[in-house]
Amino acid sequence: MAFYYAWQGNSTYDYANQSFYRKKGSIPMNDKTWRVIEDYYVQNSPSTIDLRTESNLPLQNKFEEITRESICQLPAITALQIEADGAVFCACNNTLLQLNTAEFTADTLLASRSIFTQIKRKSPNNFYLLNAGKLGPHNEPLGSLNFFNSTTNRETVLKDSLYRPVYLNEYDNQLLISQYGNDVGKLSTFDEKNKVSQAIMNLPGSYRTFVVDLNKDGQTEILGQFSQAKEGVYSFTEKSNGTYGAKQLLSFPSVFGFSDLDTADINGDGFLDLVITNGDNADFSNIPKNFHGLRIYLNDQQGNFTESYFYPIYGATQVRCLDVEGDGKTDILVASFFPNYIEESLLLFSNQSDIALQFEPSKFANAGKGRWMVMQDGDIDQDGDLDVVVGSFISGPTHLKGSILDKWLKESVDLLILRNNDK
């Protein structure tokens, strides 16, 4: 097999045709040359990685921690949604549930064959539901966008043949569907009225999207996270002919495990910054990595981003930006699906100075009771502050076994509800 130089300007990505092309005059790399390069890295790379010990962090005091057990047969929450009216929905074991927010008991809305990865309520009794088809990594178009009416208890398919869809958003009267896939995936639009779908980017790992104006030029962009292949953050601008121009804002080596993205004006300059977690640790090098963690990239007010903050967190997987105390400063909540220390699998970063990027990290007393894969924030009790619900999914690859896995099975905590103490 011939390997081509992808550095020194010899290979370029063609966003229009969604493929790499080799520049004229570039030279194919034969197997002998490849082995020389491979041997160099094998011989000169460090044999061990220095690992940090567990931090002596204080317990957080901003939230009341409430656990809910045995909602699912096994802790396996795959989707969460908190609506503006405080309604909380979650999915596990092919079932859509609604929580009673007074006692946090669960009522079954739908028993299905679908594996739900996104819940989006269109109206009080109507829902969009993303079905992954199969939860583990795969390249088959088994997923679908479904519509569910809770009055008639009917689930119908709006768009099938999706590649492991995981996130749904809205843009210009269309739905944005992030099809994560594995080796095959895409970010696409779907016009529900005309039943028309269009690919924006044919790359696997499409995970989350945001509709934003990064440089305040009056033109809306789609911000997309891709966590496979060419991992990074991309912005997409719609052109007059209905196609999209793409720009890569951030890129990461695959070993970084780009796992989640959120946006917020972290330093208070009026422009959106990027807050990310690196920590996916399930694939080919599942050893603890000291470069996993929380990163903040500040916007230069032109839509360009520079890393300005890093805090190491083994296996950091989910991130949410929220103003916990209502003081106008953005705080950050991070969950780890691949922690070294389960007591640090959920951390709150309280913003002490947005200008200086000073955060005070704290941990949660109940962090070790679950394996946190999904989380959502919203005002559950409608008292004017933001609460959070975190869902546990204890399956999947992990080096944390034995007594820890037994603990997760025995206690069977499905949800951790963080009720804000501010109000």
Side-chain angles (χ1 to χ4, degrees):
M1 176 184 291
F3 294 84
Y4 292 94
Y5 287 111
W7 55 89
Q8 296 179 344
N10 288 320
S11 180
T12 301
Y13 191 74
D14 182 348
Y15 289 104
N17 296 309
Q18 313 293 322
S19 62
F20 286 98
Y21 66 89
R22 183 163 54 92
K23 289 185 177 181
K24 185 177 180 181
S26 60
I27 304 170
M29 183 188 296
N30 58 37
D31 292 342
K32 181 179 179 181
T33 305
W34 173 258
R35 282 193 294 270
V36 171
I37 295 174
E38 183 181 37
D39 289 344
Y40 171 82
Y41 281 98
V42 169
Q43 293 169 14
N44 291 281
S45 296
S47 57
T48 60
I49 297 177
D50 292 333
L51 301 180
R52 65 175 179 83
T53 58
E54 183 178 0
S55 304
N56 186 26
L57 296 178
L59 289 175
Q60 66 83 27
N61 59 5
K62 309 297 183 184
F63 295 95
E64 176 190 1
E65 301 179 32
I66 305 166
T67 59
R68 280 297 172 261
E69 300 80 23
S70 303
I71 291 174
C72 309
Q73 294 176 347
L74 183 78
I77 303 294
T78 57
L80 280 168
Q81 181 64 25
I82 303 175
E83 296 293 335
D85 60 2
V88 180
F89 303 92
C90 67
C92 66
N93 305 124
N94 309 100
T95 305
L96 176 65
L97 305 169
Q98 180 171 2
L99 296 187
N100 178 324
T101 52
E103 301 175 353
F104 294 106
T105 55
D107 298 317
T108 299
L109 293 181
L110 173 66
S112 173
R113 298 179 64 182
S114 302
I115 300 174
F116 300 122
T117 54
Q118 178 77 17
I119 305 162
K120 191 174 183 66
R121 192 172 69 176
K122 184 177 182 180
S123 62
N125 299 313
N126 295 309
F127 299 80
Y128 292 119
L129 301 171
L130 280 184
N131 163 38
K134 188 165 62 176
L135 198 59
H138 67 276
N139 291 316
E140 302 170 83
L142 303 175
S144 60
L145 168 63
N146 298 351
F147 185 81
F148 171 60
N149 182 289
S150 61
T151 302
T152 62
N153 198 37
R154 187 184 179 197
E155 181 186 16
T156 57
V157 175
L158 297 177
K159 179 74 175 79
D160 60 9
S161 302
L162 301 180
Y163 293 93
R164 202 178 168 209
V166 295
Y167 194 77
L168 192 66
N169 205 343
E170 295 182 73
Y171 170 74
D172 194 22
N173 298 317
Q174 300 180 89
L175 294 173
L176 288 171
I177 304 176
S178 297
Q179 302 181 52
Y180 195 97
N182 187 32
D183 303 310
V184 180
K186 66 176 73 174
L187 172 62
S188 61
T189 62
F190 177 66
D191 184 332
E192 183 182 357
K193 180 180 180 180
N194 298 308
K195 309 299 181 186
V196 176
S197 182
Q198 178 186 354
I200 295 178
M201 173 79 90
N202 284 309
L203 276 181
S206 180
Y207 187 60
R208 292 191 76 192
T209 58
F210 301 82
V211 178
V212 295
D213 182 358
L214 292 175
N215 56 4
K216 293 195 171 183
D217 63 353
Q219 185 170 21
T220 301
E221 299 123 350
I222 298 170
L223 193 68
Q225 171 190 350
F226 287 79
S227 296
Q228 295 272 83
K230 285 180 66 67
E231 297 191 11
V233 180
Y234 298 77
S235 66
F236 304 95
T237 305
E238 189 173 8
K239 298 180 179 179
S240 57
N241 61 359
T243 62
Y244 292 83
K247 178 183 178 181
Q248 187 170 24
L249 304 178
L250 298 176
S251 64
F252 301 101
S254 295
V255 73
F256 267 50
F258 182 22
S259 53
D260 203 9
L261 167 70
D262 206 354
T263 63
D265 180 10
I266 297 294
N267 59 354
D269 66 351
F271 289 79
L272 286 176
D273 307 301
L274 304 181
V275 182
I276 73 149
T277 49
N278 299 108
D280 183 1
N281 210 16
D283 297 321
F284 302 108
S285 61
N286 52 354
I287 60 172
K289 301 175 176 68
N290 54 13
F291 46 81
H292 280 176
L294 168 69
R295 287 177 166 84
I296 297 174
Y297 291 82
L298 293 183
N299 190 337
D300 68 352
Q301 302 187 6
Q302 302 297 318
N304 305 302
F305 297 87
T306 302
E307 182 179 335
S308 304
Y309 180 87
F310 171 69
Y311 187 93
I313 306 171
Y314 289 119
T317 314
Q318 291 275 294
V319 62
R320 290 294 178 273
C321 297
L322 63 163
D323 184 356
V324 175
E325 298 174 286
D327 58 1
K329 296 197 290 287
T330 301
D331 308 298
I332 302 171
L333 187 66
V334 177
S336 169
F337 192 66
F338 302 97
N340 255 23
Y341 316 106
I342 61 170
E343 291 77 11
E344 295 185 4
S345 61
L346 192 62
L347 298 177
L348 174 65
F349 292 80
S350 298
N351 195 336
Q352 306 301 301
S353 171
D354 46 15
I355 297 175
L357 295 187
Q358 293 178 355
F359 294 89
E360 182 179 287
S362 57
K363 60 186 179 181
F364 289 77
N366 291 284
K369 292 187 176 181
R371 192 179 187 201
W372 313 115
M373 187 170 78
V374 290
M375 64 180 176
Q376 288 291 329
D377 62 273
D379 188 0
I380 295 173
D381 45 17
Q382 298 291 281
D383 63 351
D385 56 25
L386 286 175
D387 313 294
V388 182
V389 179
V390 194
S392 178
F393 187 97
I394 67 173
S395 300
T398 177
H399 65 280
L400 295 175
K401 299 179 181 178
S403 61
I404 294 175
L405 184 57
D406 290 341
K407 175 185 174 72
W408 289 337
L409 287 167
K410 181 180 179 180
E411 296 187 352
S412 194
V413 173
D414 297 290
L415 296 172
L416 175 59
I417 296 100
L418 306 177
R419 188 149 55 190
N420 199 320
N421 291 327
D422 188 51
K423 297 292 196 305

